[in-house]
């Protein structure tokens, strides 16, 4: 949250959350370590605001889905807190958890797997309405509620879809039903984990547009998980970039995608060509490449986790963990990179003058 924004806009926050998974015994023995863990997420903070979309971007295995599961309370954090309207929540089971699940709904990547093939759309939506106590009092009210849900996701006329089975719908229609089912809970937050990556390219835009419209019309706070940084520019208000379990850059989406500061973000943007990219004044020079693979999360590199791949790495990058540092003059734009440390940048520039 920036200083100037009213606190009431913040709906859900993951505050400095860490999630480590114990490694299976066989592998632990093989590695001859005491109790090794997978560092899936380390010290990540994400803030979701009313009427805004926040994109969580990174390559496979960077920890995006784990952050979503922590926010959904499907798993507890190893450390850190989940705050709903500023209040800590750590509720598993019982009424408080049911109330939480109603307010924080997830949309999954695979609409084929998330709907039961033997049940109709009517069944799926009625069940959601009943579970969350939003089904109305009698058959007429329930029918109204069902129609409203389908109209909200632009499946009209509703009668055409209510008695359809999942296999009778297209992938995009199925994902719209999954979104309608989530809306049946009357939530405040949607956690959308790669919601369009399994859909045909031709229908992705329609589903993203729908989510955008719902965000604005219903004042939802939306987390949009994606490995496609170009779509974050189009769809999200803010973007947070993750690498190997850590958040490495954040800010408004236009700035992060058009003027990426962290060498990893620049690598991501460089490999997702966007003809509209505005270059503007250049941040510290970094070659537009970064060879290699993401590191092991069982023994992540010390210092900056990107240093083994980073074309701009300096000696301290291998030992010191970079904090969030402000970038340029755009408020709220930060990168966890020593290039933006004023002292380091000065000595780096000084060393550069002697080169060649
Ligand atoms: P993808 O885009 O492929 O879904 P992601 O960025 O969402 O990747 P996560 O699914 O959050 O990444 O996984 C982060 C790391 O944590 C991975 O190395 C993964 O193997 C590991 N991991 C996730 N869940 C578990 C678990 N239950 N037990 C052990 N390791 C896990
Ligand atoms: Fe590269 Fe160092 Fe910045 Fe990490 S801290 S991204 S290694 S320059």
């Amino acid at each position: 949250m920036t200083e100037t924004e009213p606190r009431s806009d913040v709906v859900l926050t993951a505050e400095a959350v860490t999630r480590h998974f114990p490694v299976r015994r066989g592998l632990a023995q093989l590695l001859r370590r005491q109790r090794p863990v997978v560092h899936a997420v380390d010290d990540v903070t994400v803030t979701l605001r009313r009427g805004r979309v926040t994109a969580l971007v990174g390559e496979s295995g960077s920890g995006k889905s784990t952050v979503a599961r922590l926010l959904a309370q499907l798993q507890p954090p190893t450390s850190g807190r989940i705050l709903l309207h500023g209040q800590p929540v750590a509720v598993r089971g019982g009424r408080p958890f049911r109330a939480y699940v109603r307010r924080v709904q997830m949309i999954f990547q695979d609409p084929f797997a998330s709907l039961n093939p033997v049940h109709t759309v009517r069944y799926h939506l009625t069940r959601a309405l009943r579970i969350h106590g939003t089904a109305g009092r009698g058959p007429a009210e329930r029918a109204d509620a069902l129609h409203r849900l389908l109209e909200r996701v632009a499946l009209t006329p509703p009668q055409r879809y209510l008695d359809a089975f999942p296999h009778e719908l297209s992938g995009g229609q199925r994902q719209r039903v999954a979104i309608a089912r989530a809306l049946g809970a009357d939530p405040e937050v949607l956690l959308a984990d790669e919601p369009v990556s399994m859909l045909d390219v031709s229908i992705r835009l329609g589903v993203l547009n729908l989510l955008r419209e719902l965000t604005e019309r219903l004042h939802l706070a939306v987390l949009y998980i994606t490995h496609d940084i170009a779509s974050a520019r189009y769809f999200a208000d803010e973007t947070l970039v993750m690498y190997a379990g850590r958040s490495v850059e954040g800010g408004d989406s236009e700035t992060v995608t058009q003027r990426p500061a962290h060498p990893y973000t620049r690598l991501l943007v460089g490999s997702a060509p966007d003809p509209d990219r505005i270059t503007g004044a250049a941040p510290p020079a970094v070659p537009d490449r970064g060879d290699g693979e993401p590191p092991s999360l069982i023994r992540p590199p010390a210092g900056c986790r990107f240093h083994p791949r980073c074309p701009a790495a300096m000696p301290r990058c291998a030992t010191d963990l970079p904090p969030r540092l402000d970038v340029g003059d755009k408020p709220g734009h930060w990168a966890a990179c020593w290039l933006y440390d004023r002292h380091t940048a000065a000595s780096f520039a000084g060393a550069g003058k002697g080169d060649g």
Side-chain angles (χ1 to χ4, degrees):
M1 181 175 56
T2 63
E3 305 283 283
T4 51
E5 277 170 315
R7 185 158 180 83
S8 59
D9 276 357
V10 176
V11 181
L12 190 63
T13 309
E15 189 183 75
V17 291
T18 289
R19 175 70 201 194
H20 293 167
F21 294 105
V23 173
R24 284 197 310 274
R25 186 175 297 214
L27 191 51
Q29 280 167 348
L30 204 68
L31 294 170
R32 294 189 184 167
R33 293 187 60 185
Q34 206 52 60
R35 288 169 65 187
V37 293
V38 177
H39 295 243
V41 170
D42 267 320
D43 192 23
V44 170
T45 294
V46 186
T47 303
L48 304 183
R49 297 180 180 82
R50 200 166 175 263
R52 313 266 291 171
V53 178
T54 301
L56 196 54
V57 182
E59 60 202 327
S60 187
S62 55
K64 308 180 297 295
S65 298
T66 302
V67 170
R69 286 195 295 271
L70 296 177
L71 283 166
Q73 298 266 328
L74 296 176
Q75 291 168 346
T78 306
S79 64
R81 299 191 301 173
I82 306 297
L83 305 168
L84 183 64
H85 293 295
Q87 298 301 313
V89 270
V91 283
R92 303 293 313 273
R95 191 180 288 177
F97 184 60
R98 283 201 296 279
Y100 185 84
V101 168
R102 193 172 81 71
R103 292 158 94 175
V104 180
Q105 286 282 306
M106 277 196 86
I107 295 165
F108 297 96
Q109 182 176 25
D110 186 356
F112 298 79
S114 64
L115 299 176
N116 188 328
V118 302
H119 289 302
T120 61
V121 170
R122 182 190 299 277
Y123 174 91
H124 284 100
L125 299 186
T126 304
R127 189 161 181 270
L129 291 170
R130 282 208 177 113
I131 288 173
H132 300 296
T134 51
R137 285 201 203 114
E141 279 190 27
R142 190 170 314 129
D144 270 1
L146 289 173
H147 283 211
R148 269 200 311 275
L149 279 182
L150 286 172
E151 280 162 2
R152 271 189 181 162
V153 296
L155 290 177
T156 54
Q159 299 85 321
R160 185 186 296 169
Y161 299 98
L162 271 173
D163 295 310
F165 287 90
H167 72 268
E168 296 174 306
L169 303 173
S170 70
Q173 289 169 340
R174 267 188 288 252
Q175 195 58 302
R176 284 169 192 262
V177 172
I179 294 167
R181 182 175 56 182
L183 295 180
D186 194 18
E188 291 181 82
V189 179
L190 286 185
L191 306 173
D193 192 349
E194 303 258 17
V196 296
S197 62
M198 292 192 72
L199 305 181
D200 286 347
V201 174
S202 57
I203 53 175
R204 287 181 186 175
L205 197 58
V207 173
L208 285 185
N209 280 339
L210 171 70
L211 282 170
R212 180 83 241 176
E213 186 211 318
L214 291 171
T215 304
E216 285 162 17
R217 194 145 56 95
L218 305 178
H219 310 294
L220 297 169
V222 175
L223 180 73
Y224 169 57
I225 292 181
T226 183
H227 55 264
D228 174 16
I229 196 163
S231 72
R233 179 195 176 197
Y234 162 76
F235 178 57
D237 302 288
E238 284 154 46
T239 292
L240 184 69
V241 181
M242 286 188 70
Y243 179 76
R246 287 197 176 276
S247 50
V248 296
E249 181 164 359
D252 72 80
S253 295
E254 183 68 15
T255 306
V256 171
T257 59
Q258 298 306 288
R259 291 186 40 71
H262 194 282
Y264 173 65
T265 316
R266 295 174 75 179
L267 179 70
L268 271 188
V269 171
S271 57
D274 176 354
D276 290 344
R277 192 170 306 133
I278 302 156
T279 41
V286 173
D288 203 9
R289 50 181 284 280
D291 300 329
E293 295 289 319
S296 156
L297 292 181
I298 297 174
R299 285 185 224 178
C304 171
R305 288 189 183 171
F306 191 56
H307 85 257
R309 289 172 78 181
C310 181
M314 301 162 270
R316 78 179 297 190
C317 300
T319 51
D320 301 350
L321 177 67
R324 289 183 175 204
L325 295 163
D326 288 340
V327 175
D329 52 10
K330 194 81 184 190
H333 186 200
W334 60 267
C337 171
W338 288 121
L339 288 173
Y340 299 91
D341 175 57
R342 275 189 306 172
H343 177 71
T344 308
S347 53
F348 195 55
K353 276 178 197 157
D355 291 349

